[in-house]
Amino acid sequence: MGADPATFLRIEGITRRFGQVAAVDAVDIDVARGETLCLLGPSGCGKSTLLRTIAGLEAPDSGRILIDGEDVTALPPHRRPVNMMFQSYALFPHMSVRRNIAFGLERQRLARAAIAERVDEMLALASLEALADRRPHQLSGGQRQRVALARALARHPRVLLLDEPLAALDRQLRERTRTELAAILERVGVTCVLVTHDQEEALTLADRIAVMRQGRVAQIGTPSEIYDEPADRAVAELFGTLNLFPATARNGGLHCASLGLSLAAGTDHADAATVAIRPERLRILAGDEHCDHEVQAHVERNEFLGAARLLLLRLPDGATMRLLTDPRTRAEPGNDVRVGFDAHAVRVLTQ
Amino acid sequence: MTVRARGPARFGFVTAVCFGYAFLYVPIVLLVLYSFNDSRLVTVWGGFSTRWYVALFENETLLRAALRSLQVAVISASLATVVGLAAGLALVRLSGIRRALLMACFGSLLVMPDVLIGLSMLLLFVNLDQLVGWPGRGLTTVALAHLTFASAYVAVVVRARLLQADASIEEAARDLGARPGQAFWLVTVPLIRPALISGWLLAFTLSLDDLVVASFVSGPGSSTLPMVIYSSVRLGVTPEVNALATLLILAVTLGIISAGLINRWVRRSEG
Amino acid sequence: MKTPAFVRGVALLPLGWMSVFLLLPVAILLRVSLAEPRFEQPPYTDLFALAESGRWAFEGTLQAWRWLLEDPTYRDALLGSLTMASLTTMGCLLLALPMAWAIARAPMSWRTPLLLAVILPFWTSFLIRVYAWIGLLKPEGLINAALMATGLIEQPLLILHSNAAVLIGMTYAYLPFMILPLYATFSRLDEDQLQAAADLGATPWQTFWRISLPLAWPGALAGCLLVFIPAMGEFVVPDLLGGPESYMLGTALWNEFFRNADWPTASALALTMLVVLLAPLALLQRLQRRDEVVS
């Protein structure tokens, strides 16, 4: 493995076993300076264990953690230049907001004035000035989240760890807080590893996403790469509903009966594969419109979703297909329509 | 409450519950009432009087024993809180053989008959005294014995509270640069303060209450309050003891209520 | 995170304390039980003596243990303890079942005061609570006075200084230990399960016997052990409320120690008590470990 000069945090072959089960299984990830990497996956996929390993709260069975070239694997949590925002926020209930934020600075034996100055800076950053003397239980969920973030940022961590930063908030608050969080992270410019099971959170906050499954990294890439070019069916299914059709090998290429579609070979796909198309990549074609590929479909249901319209279509061979389109589209159930899609909208997936 | 007995079953059930509470409280209530009885006889109400309280405060033996018991209780409760805190932490954080050993020791201490604890403590003290000339037999040995069994109760309370607490709070302290000891003192101890307070109170009461263990390990001239009460009770019902009992019950009730209020206050100020 | 050095360091205090104050004394009990009493300090003989040959000789004796086996008084004490402890356990269980159930099913705001009312007597002096029964039970006491006033009896019942009085006193003293674990399990029962049973046509009694009780048996067993174990060694209650027939292990041990100054026999009795209690103690530990796994 050649050391990429841009790499700031290097996770090298980290394995963490609990009994027989490897919660994290030989994971390698490089994170660039200032980058926000998101570990995405269902609960139990090992993403939190990996995060805790970076923080030093879990000791790996093998592998190394390097920060800016320095091996920190053996360092206990209190000597690592990383700070974490816990899922429960883990605010100290017996301390005011100010004391919570000052806690980490006090451990560094900074001068009192320097601590006060940095705390004020953090309070301003997280818009908490008016709440500085409150206790955690006197704050709303969103305010607590900001205290936890300010507390974790106060020590100028070289890597900031966020464990499900928005999971403790209710749905309505989550979106607004997410925007605030993104703004703060951008302003501070800290290298950041974030754990979430929420794909929307991952897509909006991350520079790169590492999709984790059963302790391993299934795919790593930018949000648009992960969304548009999923490595396999499971990764694809993480992000929204997907139309999947079986395809078989024929004449050295692949043939999908449902869409009446033949694809050239040249890929390493074996004799059977799945063809995937996202619902929003399908279009209903007007009389004279044409597309790379076209297929006839029968409208079964028409659901108005507010911002969009979802059509449930039946294809000539009996397979169903979802199509997401403009809410003004007219397609009454019972009618036949012509559906078109571009060549690059089609993905061939293994498994 | 949707599953409810009806008719005679319900009546029987309510009767059983009322009987249970009456069983618990009638003796105590009567004791309090008769401490104000002018007559020496339990069956006769001789009119309201506070003469037994006057007699109580003139009884030097009782008062001196009470003072001794308070001394022992304060010291043993405070030390038991320290040992119990360490034990509670160890029970939650340790694993393997050491944890099993601690579980067995503290679990047994909770239920072990007093005579067994008393005799084994005494033999230990006698042997220690032979070997190193310490601790003799007196208030020191009583305090040591009390501290030992009371620490088991403190450990139970501390352990329950630690299991309840959010483990990531201490981790957060470590993550923010606190050494393990600092994280414990600055974050975990304040977090379980209510448990430490109620553990201390429990240890204090147990020490104040103990007759059997103290009888074994105390020496001449170091009789505790329960020992003095016991010897006078064996001679028959003495109204002075009624008065003393009433005062003790009052003290305990006030103690529990204030502990409850402190707890509620702490919880409210910490969410 | 592996157990940090700090925790291992802190654990030394309780581990060391228990080794010195609990485990070591058991060894000393065994040693003293093999000695003979004597009128010196300490009041028991040495186990090893320097013989004339210049070698150490074992001087221990099984006399105290032989004593225990041969003298029927001790067997009666053991049987007395077993009987009274079992009866006390049953008495507590019978009284505690409806109370714990009522508290667990009471409206939320009632539970804490009701529970506190159970715990409060536990915090007041054990000795004084036992003493309170003397005034109630004696021939000219309140219970007899009340019974005679209502004309139910003509002669006062001789309850005090009998096994009945001991049973009442012990049940009274240990009742909270039964109510608390029972309450804990009852309150953890899922209300939906009970409603489902009712919905499937079970009467409240059937629900209690078929659903609640089978689910609550670990709590009931824990309560029984919490009462049985200390009751086996009870001394204060039989001494104050009992009569000559209320001879129990605790009383026997107390008498050997304080009246006869026979430390070896007292130690042998203490070890006997410990051995009898080992199985219940182990069972209690297992229940607690199980409880931990569940919660």
Side-chain angles (χ1 to χ4, degrees), chain B residues 1-6 9 13 16-17 19-21 23-28 30-31 34 42-43 82-83 86-87 89-90 93-95 98-116 119-127 130 137 144 147-148 151 153 159 163 171 174 180-181 184-185 198 201-202 205-206 209 211-212 215-216 226-227 229-230 233-234 236-239 241-242 244-245 248-249 252-253 256, chain C residues 1 3-4 6-8 10-11 13-15 17-18 20-26 28-29 31-32 42 44 95 98-99 101-103 105-107 114-118 120-129 131-136 138 140-142 145 168 171-172 175-176 179 191 194-195 198 204-205 207 225-226 229-230 232-236 239-240 250 253-254 257-259 263 266-267 270-271 273-274 277 281 284-285 288-289 292:
Chain B
M1 279 209 18
T2 44
V3 183
R4 251 187 182 153
R6 254 170 258 108
F13 181 71
V17 173
F19 178 76
Y21 276 105
F23 186 58
L24 282 177
Y25 279 95
V26 165
I28 296 177
L30 285 176
L31 205 65
Y34 276 97
V42 192
T43 29
V82 175
V83 178
L89 183 76
R93 301 284 161 77
L94 278 186
S95 51
R98 278 173 301 187
R99 192 185 111 90
L101 185 70
L102 273 184
M103 272 301 258
C105 288
F106 281 93
S108 315
L109 262 185
L110 286 177
V111 288
M112 198 93 95
D114 293 343
V115 283
L116 196 48
L119 181 62
S120 27
M121 289 282 169
L122 172 75
L123 292 182
L124 172 74
F125 293 141
V126 167
N127 276 271
Q130 266 182 289
R137 270 169 87 178
L144 280 172
L147 133 64
T148 303
S151 67
Y153 288 82
R159 181 175 157 270
L163 285 176
E171 287 179 347
R174 301 269 286 121
F184 182 67
W185 282 115
S198 48
L201 282 172
L202 189 54
T205 334
L206 286 167
D209 194 21
L211 162 70
V212 175
S215 300
F216 276 97
M227 289 167 70
I229 296 178
Y230 173 70
V233 161
R234 275 187 63 87
V237 172
T238 48
V241 173
N242 287 348
L244 179 66
L248 283 179
I249 292 166
V252 165
T253 313
I256 287 195
Chain C
M1 207 167 17
T3 315
F6 169 73
V7 172
R8 275 179 287 153
V10 166
L13 176 61
L15 278 169
W17 196 276
M18 282 300 121
V20 175
F21 286 85
L22 192 70
L23 302 180
L24 182 59
V26 173
I28 301 177
L29 274 181
R31 176 248 176 277
V32 174
Y44 49 86
L95 266 174
M99 291 181 76
W101 181 252
I103 300 171
R105 298 291 128 199
L114 282 174
L115 210 57
L116 218 62
V118 170
L120 198 72
F122 170 74
W123 286 71
T124 47
S125 168
F126 183 81
L127 180 60
I128 282 170
R129 280 183 297 141
Y131 155 76
W133 279 97
I134 299 181
L136 277 166
K138 61 185 188 175
E140 67 277 21
L142 269 170
I168 292 174
T171 307
Y172 171 71
L175 186 58
I179 295 180
E191 187 84 22
L194 307 183
Q195 291 185 0
W205 274 114
T207 309
L225 292 167
L226 287 177
I229 297 171
M232 270 300 287
E234 183 55 48
F235 160 73
V236 177
D239 187 65
L240 288 182
L253 196 155
W254 183 280
F257 183 83
F258 287 101
R259 297 235 178 97
W263 290 25
S267 300
L271 282 175
M273 197 186 285
L274 189 61
L277 291 180
L281 277 171
L284 188 63
Q285 292 270 323
Q288 275 157 353
R289 209 166 315 143
E292 228 161 82

Side-chain angles (χ1 to χ4, degrees), chain B residues 19 23, chain C residues 84-98 167 170-172 175 178 227:
Chain B
F19 178 76
F23 186 58
Chain C
M84 294 312 273
S86 312
L87 288 175
T88 302
T89 309
M90 279 196 277
C92 284
L93 188 61
L94 279 180
L95 266 174
L97 271 176
L167 203 56
M170 283 180 35
T171 307
Y172 171 71
L175 186 58
M178 186 68 90
V227 172

Side-chain angles (χ1 to χ4, degrees), chain A:
Chain A
M1 241 186 303
D4 182 346
T7 295
F8 185 68
L9 166 70
R10 158 160 289 179
I11 299 163
E12 203 176 278
I14 289 288
T15 296
R16 174 74 173 106
R17 266 183 256 282
F18 294 107
Q20 291 292 310
V21 187
V24 179
D25 193 359
V27 167
D28 295 296
I29 299 174
D30 285 350
V31 185
R33 191 188 297 271
E35 185 184 33
T36 298
L37 176 90
C38 179
L39 302 174
L40 175 70
S43 64
C45 71
K47 58 191 192 302
S48 282
T49 307
L50 183 57
L51 195 76
R52 290 169 57 82
T53 310
I54 303 172
L57 298 168
E58 296 281 350
D61 292 305
S62 62
R64 298 196 302 163
I65 305 275
L66 291 103
I67 295 172
D68 207 3
E70 189 199 346
D71 186 346
V72 299
T73 320
L75 290 184
H78 62 282
R79 298 192 21 220
R80 290 198 188 195
V82 302
N83 286 118
M84 174 147 155
M85 193 178 117
F86 288 78
Q87 181 174 3
S88 65
Y89 306 145
L91 299 180
F92 306 132
H94 57 296
M95 296 182 190
S96 65
V97 168
R98 183 180 290 280
R99 291 281 322 281
N100 261 284
I101 298 175
F103 186 91
L105 302 166
E106 284 165 0
R107 304 282 80 72
Q108 290 177 312
R109 296 167 183 270
L110 296 179
R112 195 175 290 219
I115 293 178
E117 190 186 332
R118 180 67 179 157
V119 171
D120 286 337
E121 219 174 291
M122 286 297 110
L123 287 170
L125 178 74
S127 331
L128 289 165
E129 294 101 325
L131 309 171
D133 295 315
R134 297 243 185 121
R135 292 281 185 89
H137 74 276
Q138 295 168 311
L139 303 177
S140 71
Q143 291 164 343
R144 281 181 215 186
Q145 195 258 8
R146 298 209 300 272
V147 177
L149 181 64
R151 187 177 70 173
L153 283 172
R155 279 163 61 100
H156 296 287
R158 311 191 69 184
V159 178
L160 176 70
L161 308 174
L162 304 168
D163 190 2
E164 301 273 9
L166 304 169
L169 301 174
D170 57 45
R171 238 188 119 67
Q172 299 213 309
L173 201 56
R174 214 174 291 165
E175 200 172 324
R176 213 185 72 211
T177 314
R178 194 177 68 203
T179 319
E180 285 171 5
L181 178 64
I184 291 178
L185 291 181
E186 196 165 329
R187 192 154 4 135
V188 177
V190 64
T191 309
C192 188
V193 179
L194 181 153
V195 154
T196 182
H197 66 276
D198 183 302
Q199 63 279 16
E200 211 173 291
E201 222 168 286
L203 291 174
T204 47
L205 289 172
D207 295 320
R208 273 193 311 149
I209 296 174
V211 178
M212 288 191 67
R213 194 164 59 222
Q214 289 169 344
R216 291 174 165 276
V217 176
Q219 187 180 5
I220 186 162
T222 64
S224 63
E225 279 168 4
I226 301 268
Y227 188 82
D228 290 329
E229 296 158 40
D232 56 34
R233 185 170 160 172
V235 172
E237 280 179 328
L238 264 180
F239 300 95
T241 45
L242 202 59
N243 293 306
L244 298 167
F245 306 101
T248 47
R250 183 196 283 179
N251 305 333
L254 278 169
H255 181 74
C256 174
S258 304
L259 297 174
L261 187 69
S262 285
L263 297 163
T267 51
D268 53 353
H269 300 126
D271 36 279
T274 305
V275 168
I277 304 184
R278 296 209 175 270
E280 69 272 22
R281 294 298 192 92
L282 297 167
R283 267 188 304 142
I284 297 204
L285 300 175
D288 52 351
E289 269 185 294
H290 285 286
C291 236
D292 295 354
H293 300 290
E294 290 177 20
V295 65
Q296 283 290 324
H298 183 74
V299 181
E300 297 242 302
R301 279 181 63 81
N302 177 329
E303 289 174 0
F304 176 60
L305 303 179
R309 197 173 280 278
L310 179 71
L311 300 184
L312 260 132
L313 308 170
R314 189 163 300 277
L315 295 172
D317 74 330
T320 56
M321 180 164 80
R322 285 155 200 272
L323 182 153
L324 203 61
T325 180
D326 193 270
R328 283 160 301 185
T329 307
R330 285 242 184 98
E332 298 309 318
N335 291 343
D336 282 342
V337 289
R338 208 152 50 86
V339 177
F341 50 95
D342 294 333
H344 64 257
V346 179
R347 294 254 86 77
V348 178
L349 304 171
T350 51
Q351 290 167 351

